[in-house]
Amino acid sequence: MTGGESYFMGRHLRLIILISFVFFAIALISRWVGRQNESLQPQGLTLEIVASLQNIVTRSAEGIESFWSGYFYLVGAREENQKLHTTLDLARANLTALREAELANKRLKKLLDFKQSLEPPIIAGNVVASNPNAWFKTVVIDKGERDGLRTGQPVVTQNGAVGRVVELAPHYAKVLLLIDYNSSLDAMVQRTRVRGILAGNSTNICRLKYVLKHDDLVEGDVLITSGLGGVFPKGLKLGTVIRVKKMAHGLFLEVDVRPAVNFNKLEEVLIILKEEREL
């Protein structure tokens, strides 16, 4: 018990005793008046007063002790409850961190397995920022010129092609994503080997251009990199055809493609180190 609590308890105890004594005096006078006809010796009167006073004080003290015991028990229970809540919050935070580490390990393992299939030199990088602009689609990675990066180098994941390096700093680089309006590369239909140019549309859907109307192309066909142009190696997945429309006029089909990479969830990438090329 703290000093302030002891002082507070002492004040209330004295007040209760004083009030009890007043009521005791009133009760004693009433009792004495009622016994006017009885013979009460001075010694008996003294014993009556002292015993009655002791009884009142004892009962009052017991009541106060019971009240404060209950009060401090509740205070202790509340503090213990707060400690338990803090411990529970910490355990939940640790569990979240462990789950995140487990997911990161799974992603990195897949990325490492995919890395073995590529021709070195290759380095891994993390996405540290993205462009919120609705028109330009770029991300920033934590690898730069001092790590051997050059403009034009391809960026990939185990799911497929991501984009290419377009701007450099000593420790960072900007990557132009496949879905950006300024992005285009030679693509090939894996099933039929039909070729076209996969162009970004600054949305989550790309457009496959210059596919002739008589070419064999259907929904569900998978697009891969053709290897032409010298940027991406051949055979990397680009996306899946989700719409094929024959236009009333013109020579070409209108083809929509869903990219193989989910750019909204892009976290780790691989950069294929090549010599700088003109964009």
Side-chain angles (χ1 to χ4, degrees):
M1 184 185 300
T2 63
E5 292 169 342
S6 299
Y7 174 74
F8 179 76
M9 180 177 178
R11 286 187 57 190
H12 279 69
L13 179 59
R14 288 194 295 270
L15 180 61
I16 292 173
I17 292 174
L18 178 60
I19 294 173
S20 300
F21 186 79
V22 171
F23 277 105
F24 163 75
I26 294 173
L28 187 61
I29 292 172
S30 299
R31 185 175 182 181
W32 179 77
V33 170
R35 292 185 175 180
Q36 287 182 356
N37 296 327
E38 297 179 8
S39 61
L40 189 61
Q41 299 297 325
Q43 296 86 353
L45 178 60
T46 301
L47 178 60
E48 183 77 12
I49 294 173
V50 171
S52 298
L53 180 59
Q54 287 178 339
N55 184 40
I56 291 174
V57 171
T58 299
R59 291 180 180 274
S60 299
E62 289 176 351
I64 293 172
E65 181 180 1
S66 176
F67 168 78
W68 282 106
S69 296
Y71 170 76
F72 287 118
Y73 172 78
L74 291 176
V75 170
R78 183 176 62 184
E79 292 177 351
E80 183 66 22
N81 189 44
Q82 290 174 345
K83 290 179 181 179
L84 290 175
H85 275 294
T86 301
T87 302
L88 181 59
D89 290 341
L90 182 60
R92 286 173 175 169
N94 290 335
L95 180 59
T96 300
L98 288 174
R99 286 176 177 172
E100 182 62 22
E102 181 182 4
L103 291 174
N105 286 335
K106 289 181 179 179
R107 291 196 307 270
L108 291 174
K109 184 180 184 304
K110 291 180 180 179
L111 199 65
L112 181 61
D113 292 341
F114 174 68
K115 182 180 178 181
Q116 309 305 318
S117 66
L118 299 174
E119 184 179 349
I122 299 166
I123 62 172
N126 297 296
V127 174
V128 296
S130 61
N131 191 338
N133 192 300
W135 191 249
F136 298 103
K137 301 297 182 180
T138 61
V139 295
V140 176
I141 59 176
D142 62 353
K143 293 294 185 292
E145 195 168 13
R146 293 187 179 180
D147 302 293
L149 270 65
R150 300 291 183 267
T151 55
Q153 290 174 340
V155 180
V156 301
T157 71
Q158 70 275 13
N159 295 322
V162 171
R164 54 182 175 169
V165 177
V166 293
E167 188 177 332
L168 287 167
H171 301 98
Y172 298 95
K174 182 180 289 186
V175 177
L176 183 73
L177 303 179
L178 291 182
I179 57 175
D180 186 272
Y181 184 80
N182 298 300
S183 174
S184 63
L185 75 158
D186 199 88
M188 181 168 60
V189 180
Q190 190 176 45
R191 179 178 62 87
T192 63
R193 321 312 280 182
V194 169
R195 287 175 49 201
I197 299 297
L198 186 68
N201 198 29
S202 289
T203 66
N204 289 327
I205 301 300
C206 294
R207 178 66 56 84
L208 183 64
K209 297 182 176 180
Y210 311 120
V211 178
L212 296 173
K213 285 184 176 180
H214 60 75
D215 283 337
D216 184 6
L217 183 68
V218 296
E219 293 182 11
D221 275 338
V222 174
L223 295 184
I224 59 174
T225 54
S226 68
L228 300 179
V231 178
F232 289 92
K234 185 177 181 179
L236 293 178
K237 189 174 181 180
L238 291 173
T240 304
V241 175
I242 59 173
R243 187 178 73 93
V244 179
K245 181 178 180 181
K246 287 187 178 182
M247 307 300 294
H249 305 285
L251 300 175
F252 306 110
L253 296 171
E254 188 174 281
V255 182
D256 290 339
V257 177
R258 177 178 290 110
V261 173
N262 186 340
F263 295 101
N264 293 325
K265 297 182 179 181
L266 194 61
E267 296 184 62
E268 300 92 12
V269 297
L270 295 175
I271 306 97
I272 302 174
L273 303 183
K274 291 184 176 183
E275 294 298 325
E276 183 176 359
R277 294 178 177 272
E278 293 294 331
L279 297 180

